[in-house]
């Protein structure tokens, strides 16, 4: 029989106590590590995370699914998620406020809208239904704003049919298919019947069957405008602008361009055109037309980009008489059937031009 002294018992108890302290410290480290980790993994159990998401959605007034995604994106750090939410709301309100200040000037200026609708047709019935709902909101915005010229990019057949149907009483339209027959996308140009007369329509293409739509028009029976609309990439941008540069110098040029070309990849020497955003002061609130931080239609962690641009060139005869006045973003409102979904993954550019003729 082995005997154990009192001193031995005390030592054993002390050793156990030290082990428990080490175990507690390890647990604390584990908890600290999980809560400070910036990954998307939730550090809470299902019940707590559900209550947290619900409370966050209620406090911020956003959809529960969007609330969960925001919390995930910010490592379930409530302070960071709240900051991102309120910054996005302030940004949206700033854009809306700026736009509202121009509502009374609609008839005074030439008003141009350019919008990548991102409404490509889909084989899934539910997604096509959603495209129709998004298209209906696009139509509502266009009819409310009534631009003199509308330049739409990446319009699917379902959306295009709806838009033409609802706008036909006010607008003439021309479209050209820019993708393969199995993936129908169009670029379209709509012009106000009461102010603009079409003179000539042409489709510009290269050897790879890339296409750009051009319409020559007359505005208010006096000004000759050449309207261009295209979706480009780094392989087609040079050809696109070469064709635009060859336009009659006595005509005003307006060009809507949508692309996936990031800001630092643009070659600004390739075109003899003026970027409306740059000419109107590079206002920060209208910089990004593709904004994952504000547009919940966009999935992933992409950074905001200025993928959409409105270019112009005055005619030699007008010189400084054709002047850009203002630029704003449109489409920053949810569709009627959702408090989370926007009409497109892109905001629309809306530009105002003054003509002293």
């Amino acid at each position: 029989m082995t005997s154990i002294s009192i001193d031995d018992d005390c030592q054993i108890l002390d050793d156990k106590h030290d082990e428990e302290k080490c175990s507690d410290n390890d647990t604390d480290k584990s908890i600290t590590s999980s809560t400070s980790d910036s990954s998307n993994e939730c550090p809470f159990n299902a019940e707590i995370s559900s209550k947290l998401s619900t409370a966050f959605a209620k406090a911020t007034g956003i959809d529960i699914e969007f609330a969960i995604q925001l919390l995930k994106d910010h490592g379930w750090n409530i302070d960071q998620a709240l900051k991102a939410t309120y910054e996005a709301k302030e940004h949206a309100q700033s854009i809306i406020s700026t736009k509202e200040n121009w509502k009374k000037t609609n008839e005074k200026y030439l008003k141009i809208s350019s919008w990548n609708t991102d409404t490509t047709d889909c084989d899934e019935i539910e997604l096509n239904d959603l495209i129709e709902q998004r298209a209906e909101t696009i139509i509502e915005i266009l009819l409310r704003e009534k631009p003199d010229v509308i330049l739409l990019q990446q319009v699917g057949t379902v959306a295009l049919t709806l838009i033409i149907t609802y706008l036909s009483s006010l607008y003439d339209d021309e479209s050209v298919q820019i993708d393969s027959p199995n993936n129908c996308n169009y670029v379209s140009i709509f012009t106000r019947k009461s102010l603009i007369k079409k003179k000539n329509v042409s489709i510009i293409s290269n050897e790879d069957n890339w296409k750009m739509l051009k319409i020559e028009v007359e505005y208010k029976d006096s000004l000759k405008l050449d309207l261009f609309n295209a979706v480009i990439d780094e392989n087609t941008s040079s050809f696109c602008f070469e064709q635009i540069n060859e336009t009659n110098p006595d005509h005003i040029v307006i060009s809507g361009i949508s692309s996936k070309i990031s800001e630092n990849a643009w070659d600004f020497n390739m075109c003899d055109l003026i970027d409306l955003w740059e000419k109107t002061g590079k206002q920060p609130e209208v910089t990004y037309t593709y904004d994952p931080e504000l547009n919940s239609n966009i999935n992933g962690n992409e950074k905001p980009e200025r993928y959409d641009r409105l270019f112009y060139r005055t005619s030699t005869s007008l010189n400084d008489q054709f002047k850009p006045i203002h630029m704003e973003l449109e489409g920053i409102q949810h569709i009627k059937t959702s408090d989370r979904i926007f009409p497109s993954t892109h905001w629309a550019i809306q530009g105002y031009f003054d003509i002293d003729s």
Side-chain angles (χ1 to χ4, degrees), residues 146-211:
K146 293 185 177 64
D148 301 312
V149 175
I150 302 169
L151 309 166
L152 300 180
Q153 303 93 27
Q154 287 194 304
V155 197
T157 51
V158 173
L160 183 59
T161 301
L162 285 171
I163 294 169
I164 290 174
T165 301
Y166 280 93
L167 268 60
S168 60
S169 62
L170 294 175
Y171 291 88
D172 288 319
D173 65 274
E174 296 290 342
S175 299
V176 59
Q177 187 175 332
I178 58 173
D179 289 337
S180 65
N182 296 327
N183 185 21
C184 294
N185 265 325
Y186 296 82
V187 291
S188 304
I189 299 178
F190 292 76
T191 52
R192 285 279 294 272
K193 292 179 178 180
S194 60
L195 298 171
I196 297 173
K197 294 179 181 178
K198 279 193 297 185
K199 296 297 182 181
N200 188 46
V201 179
S202 56
I203 298 170
I204 299 168
S205 61
N206 65 5
E207 57 187 12
D208 296 321
N209 207 32
W210 169 88
K211 297 184 182 74

Side-chain angles (χ1 to χ4, degrees), residues 56 103 109 114 188 206 232 253 270 303 315 323 344 346 354:
F56 185 80
K103 292 303 178 186
Y109 301 119
S114 182
S188 304
N206 65 5
I232 64 172
V253 171
M270 64 185 168
K303 64 177 184 178
S315 66
K323 300 187 292 287
S344 174
H346 297 244
D354 194 11

Side-chain angles (χ1 to χ4, degrees), residues 63-108:
D63 183 80
I64 183 67
E65 292 180 3
F66 193 29
I68 293 171
Q69 188 59 51
L70 269 170
L71 287 166
K72 284 182 179 179
D73 290 345
H74 294 86
W76 291 85
N77 184 309
I78 297 175
D79 288 338
Q80 291 181 11
L82 278 171
K83 183 181 178 183
T85 304
Y86 290 128
E87 283 179 351
K89 286 187 174 183
E90 287 175 4
H91 181 53
Q93 188 57 50
S94 172
I95 294 171
I96 292 169
S97 297
T98 301
K99 180 166 61 65
E100 288 298 325
N101 293 333
W102 284 85
K103 292 303 178 186
K104 296 179 181 178
T105 65
N106 285 357
E107 298 302 321
K108 182 179 178 181

Side-chain angles (χ1 to χ4, degrees), residues 2 42 64 103 108 112 129 194 222 235 287 309 329 350:
T2 305
C42 181
I64 183 67
K103 292 303 178 186
K108 182 179 178 181
I112 313 287
D129 288 343
S194 60
S222 59
N235 296 320
T287 300
R309 298 164 190 252
L329 297 181
Q350 196 150 262

